[in-house]
């Protein structure tokens, strides 16, 4: 633990807190009536379609009455406020108030139980949002809820539908993903889910979380509706008693793989049941199957369970095998992973709309995957393994998946089958998301046919391939569909024609993240104002950038992270007012830089600073003492003079300073 760190333990059980340390026990009080009302107003006005919305006198009276019923409990107040945030008329508020009064009958004066408020909010959800909410019931406790993945599951199960105007073509730029995101926002506004973490550089929601009491409600309602069944899978369960599924139609299945130690509490409460392999034949009605490996590796016995899915679950629309890994084997005194090939029988799951083997150890896909004509999402990211040094094999049939909307390819380590051709994508006219399009393994001629792209990640090694990509209509400035793009560009760009290609890429308005590895003699003047992350690796043997890039880069209004490696400039200046959104800076092996000046007012939001090498840099800029947000400074293999200056002090406001080597 770092010096000055503290551990905060939270629990609703006093005995647990007392066991940890009675001397530091702090019991949270209930909110006062003014505090309760202030919190309620913030939540109830969170989602207002009227810009100047104000509570009427009658609504305030009703609101204060309902808030008093919450007894000062923050969760009850927040959920009640989230419920009323969707109600704009006095009549709607009166109906909610009557429901609260009805539920309060016989409850005494101790305040309305939180579970009652939660149930009231659940009952008020529109029908489609109830189904979306219940999809969370197979999640393990404290599991992160990734927004895009959850929405794609809703899409696969048919819970998301485009509005009529979009279906008839009146609104071209609305996608199923957009509609699903509005559903997710609605659940958040109603406080049925909570923001768990924002992404560091774009400040989008990275994942949501379920409050444990909300999760209890979700489990209860899913059980009442027979919405989903969660089962344990593992050879140690072969003799365990299980439930009979023959009399119950199960349409959604959550599979906890060898997770006895992970789900003990859920199992005691009856949420999780054991599953024997012979019972999978009774699950032919299953539409959705989600695996949770919990970091466990599957034995051959477990693999039989997985293969049974491809044979028996003919109505499956959603299949998630993310992080499925297998036990290693001993070979020549080394431990290697015995990867698996997805069974050929996957081609029989003709209703499948979502398939993920992200971060798994499947070695290859069968050509029968081309039979999945309704597939909308295919996630193969990081599908790499360590078996005999081979790479993931993908058959050249993906172009046949005409309904595919979201394709996630591994950035590196793939091979098209047959190996002498490149992966074709020319039949995917409906594709909206393309991740990991590598010009070394994918046919660049296919790119111009992807006219519906909204989000793109592309890796380019050859200037000739980059020229073909840039000529595509889906990258033209007149195309309003593409919203977000990430470019990885590697190679030498020395000629005028090649430098012109770079200027086009650097200036694209939809460019948000750029990673450049190669030689660059001049930094383009016009850069995309939407850039949030820029990584420049100029450490090549070719002539490098000689002028300080900071005067150009500091003008980018949305840049939040900058990594610079190599370069031949000797002086570096960060001007006042520059880098207004900056939070992270990494300087690596800029061997010629001798002076770095930071003016007061530069980088006002900087949090993390890392310096690798830069042996001629003798001191940290004095102007960093004005960057009061700086919390972490790390140096690797820095000059002895720079290390000595850091030890002398001058940056007392920085919480963490580390020197390595």
């Amino acid at each position: 633990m770092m010096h000055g760190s503290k551990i905060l333990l939270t629990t609703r059980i006093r005995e647990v807190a007392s066991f940890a340390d009675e001397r530091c026990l702090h019991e949270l009080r209930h909110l006062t009536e003014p505090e309760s009302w202030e919190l309620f107003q913030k939540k109830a006005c969170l989602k207002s379609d009227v810009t100047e919305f104000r509570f009427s006198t009658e609504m305030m009276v009703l609101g204060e009455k309902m808030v008093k019923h919450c007894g000062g409990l923050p969760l009850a107040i927040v959920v009640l406020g989230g419920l009323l945030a969707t109600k704009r008329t006095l009549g709607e508020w009166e109906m909610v108030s009557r429901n609260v009064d009805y539920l309060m009958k016989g409850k005494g004066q101790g305040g309305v139980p939180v579970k009652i408020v939660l149930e009231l909010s659940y009952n008020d959800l529109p029908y489609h949002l109830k189904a979306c909410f219940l999809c969370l019931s197979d999640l393990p406790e404290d599991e992160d809820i990734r927004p895009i993945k959850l929405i794609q599951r809703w899409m696969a199960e048919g819970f998301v539908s485009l509005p009529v105007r979009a279906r008839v073509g009146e609104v071209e730029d609305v996608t199923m993903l957009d509609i699903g995101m509005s559903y997710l926002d609605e659940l958040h506004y109603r406080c049925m889910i909570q923001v768990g973490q924002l992404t560091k550089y774009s400040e989008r929601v990275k994942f949501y979380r379920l409050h444990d009491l909300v999760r209890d409600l979700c489990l209860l309602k899913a059980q009442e509706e027979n919405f989903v069944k969660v089962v344990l899978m593992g050879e140690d369960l072969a003799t365990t008693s299980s439930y009979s599924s023959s009399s119950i139609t199960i349409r959604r299945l959550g599979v906890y793989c060898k997770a006895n130690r992970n789900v003990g509490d859920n199992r005691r409460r009856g949420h999780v049941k054991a599953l024997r392999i012979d019972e999978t034949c009774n699950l032919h009605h299953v539409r959705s199957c989600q695996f949770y490996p919990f970091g466990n590796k599957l034995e051959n016995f477990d693999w039989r369970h997985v293969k049974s899915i491809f044979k028996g679950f003919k109505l499956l629309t959603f299949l998630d095998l993310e992080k499925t890994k297998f036990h290693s084997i001993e070979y020549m005194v080394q431990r290697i992973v015995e990867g698996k090939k997805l069974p050929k029988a996957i081609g029989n799951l003709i209703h499948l709309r979502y398939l993920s083997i992200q971060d798994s150890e499947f070695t290859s896909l069968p050509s029968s995957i081309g039979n999945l004509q309704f597939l909308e999402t295919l996630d193969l990211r990081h599908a790499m393994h360590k078996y005999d040094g081979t790479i993931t094999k993908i058959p050249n049939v993906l172009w046949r998946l005409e309904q595919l909307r979201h394709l996630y390819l591994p950035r590196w380590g793939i091979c098209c089958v047959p190996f002498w051709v490149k992966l074709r994508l020319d039949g995917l006219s409906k594709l909206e998301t393309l991740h990991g399009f590598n010009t070394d393994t994918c046919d660049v001629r296919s790119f111009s046919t992807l006219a519906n792209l909204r989000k793109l990640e592309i890796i380019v090694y050859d200037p000739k391939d980059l020229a073909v990509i840039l000529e595509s209509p889906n990258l033209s400035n007149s195309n309003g569909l593409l919203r977000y793009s990430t470019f990885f560009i590697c190679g030498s760009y020395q000629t005028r024609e090649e430098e012109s290609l770079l200027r086009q890429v650097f200036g694209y308005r939809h460019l948000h993240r750029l990673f450049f590895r190669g030689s660059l003699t001049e930094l383009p003047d016009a850069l995309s104002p939407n850039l949030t992350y820029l990584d420049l690796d100029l450490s090549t043997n070719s002539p490098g950038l000689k002028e300080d890039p900071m005067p150009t880069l500091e003008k980018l209004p949305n840049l939040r992270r900058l990594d610079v490696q190599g370069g031949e400039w000797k002086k570096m200046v960060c001007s006042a007012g520059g880098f207004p959104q900056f939070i992270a800076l990494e300087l690596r092996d800029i061997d010629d830089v001798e002076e770095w000046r930071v003016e007061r007012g530069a980088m006002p939001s900087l949090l993390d600073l890392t310096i690798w090498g830069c042996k001629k840099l003798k001191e940290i800029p004095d102007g960093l003492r004005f960057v009061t947000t700086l919390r972490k400074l790390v140096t690797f293999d820095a000059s002895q003079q720079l290390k000595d200056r850091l030890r002398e002090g001058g940056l007392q406001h920085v919480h963490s300073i580390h020197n390595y080597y």
Side-chain angles (χ1 to χ4, degrees), residues 68-250:
K68 287 181 180 179
H69 283 317
C70 294
L73 294 173
L75 179 61
I77 297 168
V78 164
V79 174
L80 180 63
L83 168 62
L84 290 168
T86 64
K87 313 297 181 186
R88 299 293 97 198
T89 67
L90 177 61
E92 291 175 317
W93 281 51
E94 287 175 338
M95 180 175 292
V96 174
S97 180
R98 286 195 297 270
N99 289 335
V100 172
D101 289 340
Y102 175 79
L103 293 172
M104 277 297 297
K105 289 182 179 179
K107 300 297 181 183
Q109 301 300 316
V112 59
V114 175
K115 291 182 179 180
I116 289 181
V117 178
L118 292 174
E119 186 155 358
L120 183 65
S121 186
Y122 171 79
N123 291 336
D124 188 69
L125 289 175
Y127 178 77
H128 66 282
L129 283 187
K130 287 181 179 177
C132 292
F133 176 68
L134 293 182
C135 276
L136 304 174
S137 57
D138 63 6
L139 288 172
E141 193 168 3
D142 297 325
E143 183 82 359
D144 297 340
I145 304 170
R146 286 150 44 195
I148 301 300
K149 179 177 179 178
L150 178 61
I151 293 170
Q152 289 169 343
R153 176 177 178 176
W154 293 345
M155 291 165 52
E157 297 211 41
F159 298 151
V160 179
S161 58
L162 287 173
V164 175
R165 291 179 61 202
R167 288 199 297 268
V168 299
E170 293 182 17
V171 183
E172 294 184 357
D173 201 24
V174 176
T175 67
M176 298 278 276
L177 210 55
D178 296 329
I179 303 301
M181 193 61 73
S182 71
Y183 291 0
L184 204 57
D185 290 341
E186 185 77 13
L187 289 174
H188 178 226
Y189 288 137
R190 292 172 178 264
C191 302
M192 303 301 286
I193 56 176
Q194 301 172 334
V195 173
Q197 184 178 324
L198 298 176
T199 56
K200 193 171 185 179
Y201 304 116
S202 61
E203 293 191 314
R204 294 184 176 90
V205 177
K206 185 175 183 178
F207 60 80
Y208 289 96
R209 283 273 176 84
L210 273 183
H211 190 284
D212 50 0
L213 292 180
V214 178
R215 181 172 180 270
D216 288 342
L217 171 72
C218 190
L219 297 181
L220 176 64
K221 293 301 179 181
Q223 193 170 22
E224 291 177 357
E225 300 286 339
N226 187 33
F227 190 84
V228 67
K229 290 293 181 183
V230 179
V231 297
L232 286 173
M233 183 190 76
E235 62 181 339
D236 54 328
L237 300 171
T239 59
T240 306
S241 61
S242 60
Y243 68 95
S244 173
S245 60
S246 58
S247 60
I248 302 174
T249 299
I250 298 176

Side-chain angles (χ1 to χ4, degrees), residues 21-38:
D21 191 343
E22 286 190 354
R23 298 170 300 171
C24 300
L25 186 62
H26 175 71
E27 294 191 50
L28 295 177
R29 62 174 176 82
H30 289 183
L31 299 181
T32 63
E33 288 190 6
E35 291 171 336
S36 299
W37 178 245
E38 182 180 0

Side-chain angles (χ1 to χ4, degrees), residues 18 69 109 159 184 188 203 247 270 296 314 320 345 357 381 409 425 439 445 555 558 566 570 574 576 580 610 645:
S18 300
H69 283 317
Q109 301 300 316
F159 298 151
L184 204 57
H188 178 226
E203 293 191 314
S247 60
N296 297 310
K314 298 297 180 61
D320 185 8
I357 58 171
R381 283 175 290 186
L409 296 169
L425 302 178
T439 58
R445 294 173 300 179
K555 299 174 185 177
N558 295 298
K570 295 184 178 182
C574 297
T610 304
R645 292 299 299 271

Side-chain angles (χ1 to χ4, degrees), residues 304-356:
R304 289 170 58 197
H305 279 89
V306 178
K307 289 195 293 186
S308 68
I309 293 173
F310 303 109
K311 296 178 181 179
F313 294 15
K314 298 297 180 61
L315 300 179
L316 209 59
T317 62
F318 176 89
L319 177 58
D320 185 8
L321 296 169
E322 182 176 329
K323 297 182 180 178
T324 303
K325 300 182 185 296
F326 307 94
H327 267 291
S328 58
I329 60 175
E330 298 290 345
Y331 180 74
M332 299 293 288
V333 200
Q334 292 184 344
R335 297 184 65 82
I336 57 177
V337 174
E338 185 181 14
K340 300 290 185 183
K341 179 179 180 179
L342 274 181
K344 182 179 179 181
I346 194 172
N348 297 330
L349 306 180
I350 59 174
H351 299 286
L352 203 61
R353 296 185 177 185
Y354 179 101
L355 173 62
S356 174

Side-chain angles (χ1 to χ4, degrees), residues 368-379:
S368 61
I369 198 170
N371 298 339
L372 306 180
Q373 294 299 303
F374 294 103
L375 198 64
E376 297 175 343
T377 301
L378 178 60
D379 194 342

Side-chain angles (χ1 to χ4, degrees), residues 394-614:
I394 301 177
N396 199 14
V397 295
L398 299 188
W399 61 273
R400 291 163 50 186
L401 307 178
E402 296 180 355
Q403 298 300 317
L404 202 62
R405 285 172 167 80
H406 308 282
L407 175 60
Y408 304 92
L409 296 169
R411 292 172 182 157
W412 299 278
I414 67 172
C415 174
C416 182
V417 179
F419 66 88
W420 59 83
V421 299
K422 290 189 175 184
L423 199 62
R424 288 177 53 191
L425 302 178
D426 48 287
L428 309 183
S429 61
K430 296 183 179 180
L431 201 65
E432 298 169 9
T433 303
L434 177 57
H435 177 283
F437 185 92
N438 190 322
T439 58
D440 267 6
T441 53
C442 299
D443 191 341
V444 294
R445 294 173 300 179
S446 302
F447 191 78
S448 61
T449 66
L450 310 179
N452 208 34
L453 280 180
R454 264 71 168 183
K455 188 173 182 179
L456 169 68
E457 181 189 273
I458 189 167
I459 302 100
V460 184
Y461 288 96
D462 191 322
K464 294 180 181 178
D465 288 336
L466 182 59
V468 174
I469 295 295
L470 295 178
E471 290 173 358
S472 302
N474 44 23
L475 281 186
S476 67
N477 288 326
S478 61
N479 178 23
L481 296 181
L482 190 60
R483 307 170 184 173
Y484 188 100
S485 64
T486 299
F487 272 76
F488 292 79
I489 299 179
C490 306
S492 176
Y493 289 77
Q494 299 289 334
T495 67
R496 290 185 178 181
E497 292 78 10
E498 292 169 349
E499 289 178 347
S500 175
L501 294 176
L502 282 186
R503 283 195 294 271
Q504 291 184 58
V505 174
F506 278 61
Y508 271 127
R509 73 180 190 280
H510 54 66
L511 182 66
H512 288 74
R513 289 157 42 102
L514 175 61
F515 301 81
F516 180 80
R517 304 282 186 272
S519 59
L520 188 65
T521 57
E522 183 180 359
L523 189 67
D525 293 329
L527 301 179
S528 170
N530 294 315
L531 263 178
T532 60
Y533 189 166
L534 177 60
D535 185 332
L536 295 174
D537 184 351
L538 309 174
S539 56
T540 66
N541 296 325
S542 303
L545 189 63
K546 297 183 182 299
E547 293 187 7
D548 176 16
M550 297 302 176
T552 299
L553 299 179
E554 67 184 6
K555 299 174 185 177
L556 296 174
N558 295 298
L559 190 64
R560 297 179 65 80
R561 174 167 178 170
L562 173 64
D563 296 350
V564 180
Q565 181 173 359
E568 301 177 9
W569 57 91
K570 295 184 178 182
K571 183 178 180 180
M572 193 162 60
V573 179
C574 297
S575 308
F579 297 113
Q581 300 295 325
F582 225 25
I583 63 173
L585 172 63
E586 180 173 312
L587 306 174
R588 183 188 291 254
D589 299 327
I590 309 176
D591 296 332
D592 293 332
V593 68
E594 299 174 353
E595 179 185 355
W596 180 20
R597 181 158 53 90
V598 175
E599 297 180 357
R600 186 169 185 171
M603 303 184 292
S605 304
L606 185 66
L607 299 176
D608 301 328
L609 171 61
T610 304
I611 301 175
W612 290 73
C614 305

